[in-house]
Amino acid sequence: MAYRVFTDSCSDLPKDYVLARALSVIPLRFHIGGKEYLDDFGQSMSCKEFYGKLREGATSTTAQINTEEFCRNFSPVLESGEDVLYLAFSSALSGTYQSARLAAEELKARYPERTVAVVDSLCASMGQGLLAHYALNNRDAGMSLAENVAWLEENKGKVCHWFTVFDLNHLRRGGRVSAAAAFVGTMLSIKPVLHVDDAGRLIPVEKAKGRARSIRALLDHMKATVIRPEEQVVFISHGDSEADAQALADSIRQQWNVQEIKIHNIGPVIGSHSGPDTIALFFLGEPR
């Protein structure tokens, strides 16, 4: 039975990739400067403009996708005779997954012959995008919806997320570090290295002195846990810091002959919490 793969804009995938792979992406929203915008591939506000506002001191808040929006996006697909596979932003970081589960229950009553499968990715940014990449590969290889869901549940814990932020104050506002730690870290040029754990939570792991060392730490963690890198597509996302992202990609290529490296912006929803100049690395590795 045919099915459509959905994810949301927290996957931070580029628009050309989404169109080429027939992936449906539902946007979250963000509020900045007293206005609401869609996280819609930069159409409502470009990433360059968004990060420029953050650097000027603006604060951005975010809003999850509600049940009604999910029903509105899924219903036409179900009416056309296709099923739905939705990969959700980590439930530990947003209520979006729960909204999708409620929508699936509501739609089951309306379309009893159809299936809406909701998978909690336990991932964020292009880690979620990388899991969507494998879901699309599985679909295109002929995997059934049930087989694909089983594969995703079994393998989502292997999607490794390693990232570093430039300004600790964005993490402070999100409650990830204390105000005191943010102040001291900023004064001492301490750059935290974080990952997403098995429960899909954002966890500080170590501290690096200076930007260069924090980015090098991402590569070190990949060296420690990566599985068969020559068979992998590696994703890198960044908060308007493309030169650093390219430099990390070059270091990876020097280390391994990976299949491909995809680099893209961190969108405004994730960027509201991570801030400008964040660098994030995603690959398949040993369980987190």
Side-chain angles (χ1 to χ4, degrees), residues 4-13 17-18 23-28 41 65 70 73-74 84-89 96 119 121 125 128-133 136:
R4 186 82 55 86
V5 178
F6 281 79
T7 190
D8 54 66
S9 60
C10 289
S11 58
D12 288 338
L13 290 165
Y17 175 90
V18 166
L23 175 65
S24 298
V25 177
I26 305 175
L28 278 78
F41 305 107
I65 303 167
F70 279 118
N73 279 274
F74 294 161
V84 167
L85 168 57
Y86 168 62
L87 275 170
F89 181 36
T96 293
V119 175
S121 72
S125 190
Q128 180 181 340
L130 185 57
L131 194 64
H133 171 79
L136 293 167

PDB file of all heavy atoms in Angstrom, residues 4-13 17-18 23-28 41 65 70 73-74 84-89 96 119 121 125 128-133 136:
ATOM      1  N   ARG A   4       2.735   8.172   2.233  1.00  0.00           N
ATOM      2  CA  ARG A   4       3.464   9.427   2.132  1.00  0.00           C
ATOM      3  C   ARG A   4       4.276   9.637   3.410  1.00  0.00           C
ATOM      4  O   ARG A   4       3.769   9.427   4.511  1.00  0.00           O
ATOM      5  CB  ARG A   4       2.477  10.591   1.956  1.00  0.00           C
ATOM      6  CG  ARG A   4       3.110  11.953   1.683  1.00  0.00           C
ATOM      7  CD  ARG A   4       3.461  12.137   0.234  1.00  0.00           C
ATOM      8  NE  ARG A   4       2.298  11.921  -0.627  1.00  0.00           N
ATOM      9  CZ  ARG A   4       1.406  12.888  -0.932  1.00  0.00           C
ATOM     10  NH1 ARG A   4       1.545  14.110  -0.433  1.00  0.00           N
ATOM     11  NH2 ARG A   4       0.400  12.625  -1.739  1.00  0.00           N
ATOM     12  N   VAL A   5       5.524  10.068   3.253  1.00  0.00           N
ATOM     13  CA  VAL A   5       6.377  10.361   4.400  1.00  0.00           C
ATOM     14  C   VAL A   5       6.286  11.851   4.717  1.00  0.00           C
ATOM     15  O   VAL A   5       6.485  12.692   3.840  1.00  0.00           O
ATOM     16  CB  VAL A   5       7.835   9.952   4.141  1.00  0.00           C
ATOM     17  CG1 VAL A   5       8.707  10.311   5.346  1.00  0.00           C
ATOM     18  CG2 VAL A   5       7.936   8.453   3.842  1.00  0.00           C
ATOM     19  N   PHE A   6       5.984  12.141   5.960  1.00  0.00           N
ATOM     20  CA  PHE A   6       5.925  13.512   6.475  1.00  0.00           C
ATOM     21  C   PHE A   6       6.979  13.678   7.556  1.00  0.00           C
ATOM     22  O   PHE A   6       7.335  12.738   8.267  1.00  0.00           O
ATOM     23  CB  PHE A   6       4.567  13.792   7.129  1.00  0.00           C
ATOM     24  CG  PHE A   6       3.431  14.086   6.204  1.00  0.00           C
ATOM     25  CD1 PHE A   6       2.782  13.055   5.544  1.00  0.00           C
ATOM     26  CD2 PHE A   6       2.985  15.388   6.011  1.00  0.00           C
ATOM     27  CE1 PHE A   6       1.707  13.317   4.702  1.00  0.00           C
ATOM     28  CE2 PHE A   6       1.915  15.656   5.178  1.00  0.00           C
ATOM     29  CZ  PHE A   6       1.272  14.622   4.518  1.00  0.00           C
ATOM     30  N   THR A   7       7.459  14.899   7.706  1.00  0.00           N
ATOM     31  CA  THR A   7       8.181  15.301   8.908  1.00  0.00           C
ATOM     32  C   THR A   7       7.811  16.757   9.164  1.00  0.00           C
ATOM     33  O   THR A   7       6.857  17.274   8.570  1.00  0.00           O
ATOM     34  CB  THR A   7       9.694  15.068   8.770  1.00  0.00           C
ATOM     35  OG1 THR A   7      10.314  15.258  10.054  1.00  0.00           O
ATOM     36  CG2 THR A   7      10.337  16.003   7.767  1.00  0.00           C
ATOM     37  N   ASP A   8       8.513  17.428  10.063  1.00  0.00           N
ATOM     38  CA  ASP A   8       8.220  18.836  10.330  1.00  0.00           C
ATOM     39  C   ASP A   8       9.474  19.675  10.104  1.00  0.00           C
ATOM     40  O   ASP A   8      10.549  19.143   9.822  1.00  0.00           O
ATOM     41  CB  ASP A   8       7.666  19.011  11.746  1.00  0.00           C
ATOM     42  CG  ASP A   8       8.566  18.412  12.810  1.00  0.00           C
ATOM     43  OD1 ASP A   8       9.687  18.921  12.982  1.00  0.00           O
ATOM     44  OD2 ASP A   8       8.152  17.433  13.474  1.00  0.00           O
ATOM     45  N   SER A   9       9.315  20.968  10.225  1.00  0.00           N
ATOM     46  CA  SER A   9      10.400  21.882   9.843  1.00  0.00           C
ATOM     47  C   SER A   9      11.586  21.843  10.792  1.00  0.00           C
ATOM     48  O   SER A   9      12.650  22.385  10.463  1.00  0.00           O
ATOM     49  CB  SER A   9       9.877  23.317   9.739  1.00  0.00           C
ATOM     50  OG  SER A   9       9.352  23.766  10.974  1.00  0.00           O
ATOM     51  N   CYS A  10      11.452  21.186  11.929  1.00  0.00           N
ATOM     52  CA  CYS A  10      12.602  21.039  12.825  1.00  0.00           C
ATOM     53  C   CYS A  10      13.646  20.088  12.254  1.00  0.00           C
ATOM     54  O   CYS A  10      14.739  19.960  12.810  1.00  0.00           O
ATOM     55  CB  CYS A  10      12.155  20.566  14.206  1.00  0.00           C
ATOM     56  SG  CYS A  10      11.274  21.833  15.123  1.00  0.00           S
ATOM     57  N   SER A  11      13.341  19.445  11.145  1.00  0.00           N
ATOM     58  CA  SER A  11      14.308  18.579  10.466  1.00  0.00           C
ATOM     59  C   SER A  11      15.377  19.386   9.730  1.00  0.00           C
ATOM     60  O   SER A  11      16.414  18.835   9.354  1.00  0.00           O
ATOM     61  CB  SER A  11      13.596  17.660   9.483  1.00  0.00           C
ATOM     62  OG  SER A  11      12.866  18.415   8.533  1.00  0.00           O
ATOM     63  N   ASP A  12      15.114  20.674   9.472  1.00  0.00           N
ATOM     64  CA  ASP A  12      16.102  21.586   8.871  1.00  0.00           C
ATOM     65  C   ASP A  12      16.663  21.096   7.537  1.00  0.00           C
ATOM     66  O   ASP A  12      17.821  21.370   7.191  1.00  0.00           O
ATOM     67  CB  ASP A  12      17.256  21.857   9.855  1.00  0.00           C
ATOM     68  CG  ASP A  12      16.832  22.748  11.017  1.00  0.00           C
ATOM     69  OD1 ASP A  12      15.838  23.471  10.877  1.00  0.00           O
ATOM     70  OD2 ASP A  12      17.501  22.703  12.064  1.00  0.00           O
ATOM     71  N   LEU A  13      15.854  20.397   6.761  1.00  0.00           N
ATOM     72  CA  LEU A  13      16.288  19.924   5.451  1.00  0.00           C
ATOM     73  C   LEU A  13      16.119  21.027   4.401  1.00  0.00           C
ATOM     74  O   LEU A  13      15.184  21.831   4.486  1.00  0.00           O
ATOM     75  CB  LEU A  13      15.481  18.694   5.030  1.00  0.00           C
ATOM     76  CG  LEU A  13      15.777  17.428   5.818  1.00  0.00           C
ATOM     77  CD1 LEU A  13      14.689  16.386   5.569  1.00  0.00           C
ATOM     78  CD2 LEU A  13      17.147  16.864   5.443  1.00  0.00           C
ATOM     79  N   TYR A  17      16.042  19.406  -1.561  1.00  0.00           N
ATOM     80  CA  TYR A  17      16.060  17.992  -1.164  1.00  0.00           C
ATOM     81  C   TYR A  17      14.639  17.501  -0.928  1.00  0.00           C
ATOM     82  O   TYR A  17      14.253  16.419  -1.390  1.00  0.00           O
ATOM     83  CB  TYR A  17      16.899  17.819   0.099  1.00  0.00           C
ATOM     84  CG  TYR A  17      16.886  16.412   0.643  1.00  0.00           C
ATOM     85  CD1 TYR A  17      17.838  15.480   0.237  1.00  0.00           C
ATOM     86  CD2 TYR A  17      15.908  15.990   1.550  1.00  0.00           C
ATOM     87  CE1 TYR A  17      17.818  14.174   0.716  1.00  0.00           C
ATOM     88  CE2 TYR A  17      15.882  14.697   2.035  1.00  0.00           C
ATOM     89  CZ  TYR A  17      16.840  13.792   1.608  1.00  0.00           C
ATOM     90  OH  TYR A  17      16.812  12.504   2.081  1.00  0.00           O
ATOM     91  N   VAL A  18      13.855  18.282  -0.209  1.00  0.00           N
ATOM     92  CA  VAL A  18      12.478  17.904   0.123  1.00  0.00           C
ATOM     93  C   VAL A  18      11.655  17.691  -1.143  1.00  0.00           C
ATOM     94  O   VAL A  18      10.912  16.705  -1.271  1.00  0.00           O
ATOM     95  CB  VAL A  18      11.846  18.993   1.013  1.00  0.00           C
ATOM     96  CG1 VAL A  18      10.339  18.833   1.100  1.00  0.00           C
ATOM     97  CG2 VAL A  18      12.462  18.963   2.412  1.00  0.00           C
ATOM     98  N   LEU A  23       9.083  14.518  -0.059  1.00  0.00           N
ATOM     99  CA  LEU A  23       8.895  14.543   1.398  1.00  0.00           C
ATOM    100  C   LEU A  23       7.975  15.706   1.744  1.00  0.00           C
ATOM    101  O   LEU A  23       8.160  16.821   1.241  1.00  0.00           O
ATOM    102  CB  LEU A  23      10.243  14.720   2.097  1.00  0.00           C
ATOM    103  CG  LEU A  23      10.226  14.896   3.618  1.00  0.00           C
ATOM    104  CD1 LEU A  23       9.715  13.644   4.310  1.00  0.00           C
ATOM    105  CD2 LEU A  23      11.628  15.250   4.126  1.00  0.00           C
ATOM    106  N   SER A  24       6.988  15.471   2.581  1.00  0.00           N
ATOM    107  CA  SER A  24       6.076  16.525   3.023  1.00  0.00           C
ATOM    108  C   SER A  24       6.544  17.066   4.367  1.00  0.00           C
ATOM    109  O   SER A  24       6.755  16.293   5.308  1.00  0.00           O
ATOM    110  CB  SER A  24       4.646  15.978   3.143  1.00  0.00           C
ATOM    111  OG  SER A  24       4.173  15.534   1.888  1.00  0.00           O
ATOM    112  N   VAL A  25       6.708  18.386   4.452  1.00  0.00           N
ATOM    113  CA  VAL A  25       7.226  19.028   5.665  1.00  0.00           C
ATOM    114  C   VAL A  25       6.190  20.015   6.197  1.00  0.00           C
ATOM    115  O   VAL A  25       5.770  20.933   5.488  1.00  0.00           O
ATOM    116  CB  VAL A  25       8.560  19.753   5.383  1.00  0.00           C
ATOM    117  CG1 VAL A  25       9.048  20.466   6.645  1.00  0.00           C
ATOM    118  CG2 VAL A  25       9.611  18.772   4.890  1.00  0.00           C
ATOM    119  N   ILE A  26       5.792  19.831   7.456  1.00  0.00           N
ATOM    120  CA  ILE A  26       4.817  20.713   8.096  1.00  0.00           C
ATOM    121  C   ILE A  26       5.583  21.737   8.934  1.00  0.00           C
ATOM    122  O   ILE A  26       6.412  21.368   9.762  1.00  0.00           O
ATOM    123  CB  ILE A  26       3.858  19.914   8.991  1.00  0.00           C
ATOM    124  CG1 ILE A  26       3.192  18.791   8.182  1.00  0.00           C
ATOM    125  CG2 ILE A  26       2.796  20.834   9.593  1.00  0.00           C
ATOM    126  CD1 ILE A  26       2.326  17.863   9.012  1.00  0.00           C
ATOM    127  N   PRO A  27       5.328  23.044   8.727  1.00  0.00           N
ATOM    128  CA  PRO A  27       6.107  24.057   9.448  1.00  0.00           C
ATOM    129  C   PRO A  27       5.627  24.294  10.872  1.00  0.00           C
ATOM    130  O   PRO A  27       4.431  24.295  11.149  1.00  0.00           O
ATOM    131  CB  PRO A  27       5.899  25.312   8.595  1.00  0.00           C
ATOM    132  CG  PRO A  27       4.558  25.122   7.968  1.00  0.00           C
ATOM    133  CD  PRO A  27       4.428  23.630   7.725  1.00  0.00           C
ATOM    134  N   LEU A  28       6.588  24.482  11.783  1.00  0.00           N
ATOM    135  CA  LEU A  28       6.288  25.061  13.085  1.00  0.00           C
ATOM    136  C   LEU A  28       6.296  26.575  12.916  1.00  0.00           C
ATOM    137  O   LEU A  28       6.585  27.096  11.833  1.00  0.00           O
ATOM    138  CB  LEU A  28       7.317  24.620  14.130  1.00  0.00           C
ATOM    139  CG  LEU A  28       7.088  23.236  14.758  1.00  0.00           C
ATOM    140  CD1 LEU A  28       7.530  22.135  13.804  1.00  0.00           C
ATOM    141  CD2 LEU A  28       7.832  23.104  16.095  1.00  0.00           C
ATOM    142  N   PHE A  41      11.241  27.194   5.076  1.00  0.00           N
ATOM    143  CA  PHE A  41      12.374  27.243   4.141  1.00  0.00           C
ATOM    144  C   PHE A  41      12.811  28.682   3.843  1.00  0.00           C
ATOM    145  O   PHE A  41      13.310  28.974   2.759  1.00  0.00           O
ATOM    146  CB  PHE A  41      12.035  26.524   2.827  1.00  0.00           C
ATOM    147  CG  PHE A  41      11.585  25.121   2.985  1.00  0.00           C
ATOM    148  CD1 PHE A  41      10.253  24.768   2.794  1.00  0.00           C
ATOM    149  CD2 PHE A  41      12.482  24.117   3.341  1.00  0.00           C
ATOM    150  CE1 PHE A  41       9.827  23.462   2.950  1.00  0.00           C
ATOM    151  CE2 PHE A  41      12.065  22.797   3.492  1.00  0.00           C
ATOM    152  CZ  PHE A  41      10.731  22.479   3.298  1.00  0.00           C
ATOM    153  N   ILE A  65       3.256  22.437  16.440  1.00  0.00           N
ATOM    154  CA  ILE A  65       2.149  22.180  15.528  1.00  0.00           C
ATOM    155  C   ILE A  65       0.991  21.608  16.343  1.00  0.00           C
ATOM    156  O   ILE A  65       1.178  20.713  17.170  1.00  0.00           O
ATOM    157  CB  ILE A  65       2.567  21.176  14.437  1.00  0.00           C
ATOM    158  CG1 ILE A  65       3.791  21.699  13.681  1.00  0.00           C
ATOM    159  CG2 ILE A  65       1.425  20.904  13.469  1.00  0.00           C
ATOM    160  CD1 ILE A  65       4.457  20.660  12.802  1.00  0.00           C
ATOM    161  N   PHE A  70      -2.247  19.151  11.948  1.00  0.00           N
ATOM    162  CA  PHE A  70      -1.917  17.808  11.478  1.00  0.00           C
ATOM    163  C   PHE A  70      -3.078  17.212  10.692  1.00  0.00           C
ATOM    164  O   PHE A  70      -2.881  16.632   9.614  1.00  0.00           O
ATOM    165  CB  PHE A  70      -1.552  16.897  12.649  1.00  0.00           C
ATOM    166  CG  PHE A  70      -0.138  17.063  13.127  1.00  0.00           C
ATOM    167  CD1 PHE A  70       0.133  17.485  14.418  1.00  0.00           C
ATOM    168  CD2 PHE A  70       0.933  16.780  12.290  1.00  0.00           C
ATOM    169  CE1 PHE A  70       1.439  17.628  14.869  1.00  0.00           C
ATOM    170  CE2 PHE A  70       2.241  16.922  12.725  1.00  0.00           C
ATOM    171  CZ  PHE A  70       2.493  17.351  14.009  1.00  0.00           C
ATOM    172  N   ASN A  73      -3.253  18.652   7.234  1.00  0.00           N
ATOM    173  CA  ASN A  73      -2.196  18.201   6.325  1.00  0.00           C
ATOM    174  C   ASN A  73      -2.349  16.732   5.936  1.00  0.00           C
ATOM    175  O   ASN A  73      -2.055  16.358   4.796  1.00  0.00           O
ATOM    176  CB  ASN A  73      -0.830  18.432   6.966  1.00  0.00           C
ATOM    177  CG  ASN A  73      -0.343  19.857   6.828  1.00  0.00           C
ATOM    178  OD1 ASN A  73       0.266  20.224   5.831  1.00  0.00           O
ATOM    179  ND2 ASN A  73      -0.625  20.676   7.832  1.00  0.00           N
ATOM    180  N   PHE A  74      -2.783  15.906   6.864  1.00  0.00           N
ATOM    181  CA  PHE A  74      -2.869  14.473   6.599  1.00  0.00           C
ATOM    182  C   PHE A  74      -4.129  14.091   5.816  1.00  0.00           C
ATOM    183  O   PHE A  74      -4.104  13.132   5.034  1.00  0.00           O
ATOM    184  CB  PHE A  74      -2.853  13.681   7.912  1.00  0.00           C
ATOM    185  CG  PHE A  74      -1.572  13.757   8.690  1.00  0.00           C
ATOM    186  CD1 PHE A  74      -1.546  13.429  10.046  1.00  0.00           C
ATOM    187  CD2 PHE A  74      -0.380  14.135   8.084  1.00  0.00           C
ATOM    188  CE1 PHE A  74      -0.370  13.482  10.779  1.00  0.00           C
ATOM    189  CE2 PHE A  74       0.805  14.192   8.806  1.00  0.00           C
ATOM    190  CZ  PHE A  74       0.806  13.872  10.162  1.00  0.00           C
ATOM    191  N   VAL A  84      -0.058   7.396   5.858  1.00  0.00           N
ATOM    192  CA  VAL A  84       0.850   8.457   6.302  1.00  0.00           C
ATOM    193  C   VAL A  84       1.868   7.896   7.282  1.00  0.00           C
ATOM    194  O   VAL A  84       1.503   7.167   8.218  1.00  0.00           O
ATOM    195  CB  VAL A  84       0.066   9.618   6.964  1.00  0.00           C
ATOM    196  CG1 VAL A  84       1.003  10.567   7.711  1.00  0.00           C
ATOM    197  CG2 VAL A  84      -0.743  10.384   5.929  1.00  0.00           C
ATOM    198  N   LEU A  85       3.123   8.263   7.064  1.00  0.00           N
ATOM    199  CA  LEU A  85       4.193   8.014   8.034  1.00  0.00           C
ATOM    200  C   LEU A  85       4.763   9.374   8.419  1.00  0.00           C
ATOM    201  O   LEU A  85       5.318  10.087   7.578  1.00  0.00           O
ATOM    202  CB  LEU A  85       5.288   7.140   7.432  1.00  0.00           C
ATOM    203  CG  LEU A  85       6.608   7.028   8.224  1.00  0.00           C
ATOM    204  CD1 LEU A  85       6.358   6.515   9.636  1.00  0.00           C
ATOM    205  CD2 LEU A  85       7.603   6.136   7.494  1.00  0.00           C
ATOM    206  N   TYR A  86       4.588   9.738   9.692  1.00  0.00           N
ATOM    207  CA  TYR A  86       5.072  11.041  10.166  1.00  0.00           C
ATOM    208  C   TYR A  86       6.198  10.852  11.167  1.00  0.00           C
ATOM    209  O   TYR A  86       6.044  10.152  12.170  1.00  0.00           O
ATOM    210  CB  TYR A  86       3.927  11.835  10.801  1.00  0.00           C
ATOM    211  CG  TYR A  86       4.409  13.053  11.567  1.00  0.00           C
ATOM    212  CD1 TYR A  86       5.087  14.092  10.926  1.00  0.00           C
ATOM    213  CD2 TYR A  86       4.203  13.162  12.943  1.00  0.00           C
ATOM    214  CE1 TYR A  86       5.540  15.196  11.626  1.00  0.00           C
ATOM    215  CE2 TYR A  86       4.647  14.266  13.647  1.00  0.00           C
ATOM    216  CZ  TYR A  86       5.324  15.274  12.986  1.00  0.00           C
ATOM    217  OH  TYR A  86       5.787  16.365  13.691  1.00  0.00           O
ATOM    218  N   LEU A  87       7.330  11.499  10.900  1.00  0.00           N
ATOM    219  CA  LEU A  87       8.492  11.501  11.796  1.00  0.00           C
ATOM    220  C   LEU A  87       8.499  12.808  12.576  1.00  0.00           C
ATOM    221  O   LEU A  87       8.712  13.882  12.006  1.00  0.00           O
ATOM    222  CB  LEU A  87       9.776  11.394  10.979  1.00  0.00           C
ATOM    223  CG  LEU A  87      10.251  10.001  10.591  1.00  0.00           C
ATOM    224  CD1 LEU A  87      11.382  10.126   9.582  1.00  0.00           C
ATOM    225  CD2 LEU A  87      10.727   9.252  11.812  1.00  0.00           C
ATOM    226  N   ALA A  88       8.295  12.728  13.882  1.00  0.00           N
ATOM    227  CA  ALA A  88       8.111  13.913  14.713  1.00  0.00           C
ATOM    228  C   ALA A  88       9.407  14.378  15.367  1.00  0.00           C
ATOM    229  O   ALA A  88      10.271  13.576  15.721  1.00  0.00           O
ATOM    230  CB  ALA A  88       7.081  13.635  15.802  1.00  0.00           C
ATOM    231  N   PHE A  89       9.523  15.689  15.543  1.00  0.00           N
ATOM    232  CA  PHE A  89      10.539  16.304  16.383  1.00  0.00           C
ATOM    233  C   PHE A  89      10.491  15.659  17.766  1.00  0.00           C
ATOM    234  O   PHE A  89       9.426  15.313  18.269  1.00  0.00           O
ATOM    235  CB  PHE A  89      10.228  17.801  16.455  1.00  0.00           C
ATOM    236  CG  PHE A  89      11.177  18.643  17.262  1.00  0.00           C
ATOM    237  CD1 PHE A  89      12.535  18.387  17.303  1.00  0.00           C
ATOM    238  CD2 PHE A  89      10.685  19.740  17.960  1.00  0.00           C
ATOM    239  CE1 PHE A  89      13.396  19.189  18.034  1.00  0.00           C
ATOM    240  CE2 PHE A  89      11.539  20.548  18.691  1.00  0.00           C
ATOM    241  CZ  PHE A  89      12.890  20.278  18.729  1.00  0.00           C
ATOM    242  N   THR A  96       4.905  18.605  19.935  1.00  0.00           N
ATOM    243  CA  THR A  96       4.426  18.332  18.584  1.00  0.00           C
ATOM    244  C   THR A  96       4.082  16.857  18.390  1.00  0.00           C
ATOM    245  O   THR A  96       3.077  16.517  17.749  1.00  0.00           O
ATOM    246  CB  THR A  96       5.479  18.794  17.558  1.00  0.00           C
ATOM    247  OG1 THR A  96       5.584  20.224  17.614  1.00  0.00           O
ATOM    248  CG2 THR A  96       5.109  18.398  16.149  1.00  0.00           C
ATOM    249  N   VAL A 119       5.934   8.392  14.416  1.00  0.00           N
ATOM    250  CA  VAL A 119       7.185   7.939  15.030  1.00  0.00           C
ATOM    251  C   VAL A 119       7.830   9.108  15.764  1.00  0.00           C
ATOM    252  O   VAL A 119       8.064  10.169  15.164  1.00  0.00           O
ATOM    253  CB  VAL A 119       8.164   7.377  13.973  1.00  0.00           C
ATOM    254  CG1 VAL A 119       9.501   7.024  14.614  1.00  0.00           C
ATOM    255  CG2 VAL A 119       7.566   6.152  13.293  1.00  0.00           C
ATOM    256  N   SER A 121      10.858  10.687  16.671  1.00  0.00           N
ATOM    257  CA  SER A 121      12.223  10.528  16.159  1.00  0.00           C
ATOM    258  C   SER A 121      13.266  10.530  17.264  1.00  0.00           C
ATOM    259  O   SER A 121      14.351   9.980  17.099  1.00  0.00           O
ATOM    260  CB  SER A 121      12.548  11.644  15.152  1.00  0.00           C
ATOM    261  OG  SER A 121      12.724  12.882  15.808  1.00  0.00           O
ATOM    262  N   SER A 125      16.843  18.883  14.567  1.00  0.00           N
ATOM    263  CA  SER A 125      17.547  19.508  13.452  1.00  0.00           C
ATOM    264  C   SER A 125      17.842  18.466  12.372  1.00  0.00           C
ATOM    265  O   SER A 125      16.993  17.621  12.080  1.00  0.00           O
ATOM    266  CB  SER A 125      18.816  20.215  13.942  1.00  0.00           C
ATOM    267  OG  SER A 125      19.395  21.012  12.908  1.00  0.00           O
ATOM    268  N   GLN A 128      17.072  14.724  12.877  1.00  0.00           N
ATOM    269  CA  GLN A 128      15.726  14.348  12.457  1.00  0.00           C
ATOM    270  C   GLN A 128      15.681  14.243  10.932  1.00  0.00           C
ATOM    271  O   GLN A 128      15.064  13.329  10.375  1.00  0.00           O
ATOM    272  CB  GLN A 128      14.734  15.402  12.948  1.00  0.00           C
ATOM    273  CG  GLN A 128      13.287  15.151  12.594  1.00  0.00           C
ATOM    274  CD  GLN A 128      12.385  16.257  13.106  1.00  0.00           C
ATOM    275  OE1 GLN A 128      12.740  17.014  14.028  1.00  0.00           O
ATOM    276  NE2 GLN A 128      11.216  16.393  12.526  1.00  0.00           N
ATOM    277  N   GLY A 129      16.357  15.167  10.257  1.00  0.00           N
ATOM    278  CA  GLY A 129      16.429  15.112   8.806  1.00  0.00           C
ATOM    279  C   GLY A 129      17.122  13.863   8.297  1.00  0.00           C
ATOM    280  O   GLY A 129      16.717  13.269   7.296  1.00  0.00           O
ATOM    281  N   LEU A 130      18.174  13.437   9.004  1.00  0.00           N
ATOM    282  CA  LEU A 130      18.900  12.234   8.602  1.00  0.00           C
ATOM    283  C   LEU A 130      18.015  10.996   8.759  1.00  0.00           C
ATOM    284  O   LEU A 130      18.014  10.104   7.899  1.00  0.00           O
ATOM    285  CB  LEU A 130      20.174  12.093   9.435  1.00  0.00           C
ATOM    286  CG  LEU A 130      21.115  10.947   9.055  1.00  0.00           C
ATOM    287  CD1 LEU A 130      21.551  11.039   7.601  1.00  0.00           C
ATOM    288  CD2 LEU A 130      22.347  10.929   9.977  1.00  0.00           C
ATOM    289  N   LEU A 131      17.245  10.950   9.842  1.00  0.00           N
ATOM    290  CA  LEU A 131      16.325   9.823  10.020  1.00  0.00           C
ATOM    291  C   LEU A 131      15.272   9.834   8.910  1.00  0.00           C
ATOM    292  O   LEU A 131      14.909   8.769   8.379  1.00  0.00           O
ATOM    293  CB  LEU A 131      15.667   9.889  11.396  1.00  0.00           C
ATOM    294  CG  LEU A 131      14.946   8.605  11.833  1.00  0.00           C
ATOM    295  CD1 LEU A 131      15.915   7.441  11.999  1.00  0.00           C
ATOM    296  CD2 LEU A 131      14.185   8.840  13.139  1.00  0.00           C
ATOM    297  N   ALA A 132      14.783  11.020   8.536  1.00  0.00           N
ATOM    298  CA  ALA A 132      13.831  11.124   7.423  1.00  0.00           C
ATOM    299  C   ALA A 132      14.472  10.646   6.118  1.00  0.00           C
ATOM    300  O   ALA A 132      13.809  10.011   5.285  1.00  0.00           O
ATOM    301  CB  ALA A 132      13.341  12.555   7.283  1.00  0.00           C
ATOM    302  N   HIS A 133      15.748  10.957   5.934  1.00  0.00           N
ATOM    303  CA  HIS A 133      16.486  10.507   4.750  1.00  0.00           C
ATOM    304  C   HIS A 133      16.448   8.980   4.636  1.00  0.00           C
ATOM    305  O   HIS A 133      16.175   8.430   3.554  1.00  0.00           O
ATOM    306  CB  HIS A 133      17.931  11.013   4.852  1.00  0.00           C
ATOM    307  CG  HIS A 133      18.862  10.459   3.833  1.00  0.00           C
ATOM    308  ND1 HIS A 133      18.911  10.922   2.537  1.00  0.00           N
ATOM    309  CD2 HIS A 133      19.803   9.477   3.914  1.00  0.00           C
ATOM    310  CE1 HIS A 133      19.829  10.249   1.859  1.00  0.00           C
ATOM    311  NE2 HIS A 133      20.388   9.372   2.668  1.00  0.00           N
ATOM    312  N   LEU A 136      12.929   7.720   3.758  1.00  0.00           N
ATOM    313  CA  LEU A 136      12.665   7.872   2.325  1.00  0.00           C
ATOM    314  C   LEU A 136      13.379   6.789   1.521  1.00  0.00           C
ATOM    315  O   LEU A 136      12.814   6.223   0.574  1.00  0.00           O
ATOM    316  CB  LEU A 136      13.107   9.256   1.861  1.00  0.00           C
ATOM    317  CG  LEU A 136      12.311  10.432   2.428  1.00  0.00           C
ATOM    318  CD1 LEU A 136      13.028  11.748   2.155  1.00  0.00           C
ATOM    319  CD2 LEU A 136      10.902  10.468   1.851  1.00  0.00           C
TER     320      LEU A 136
END
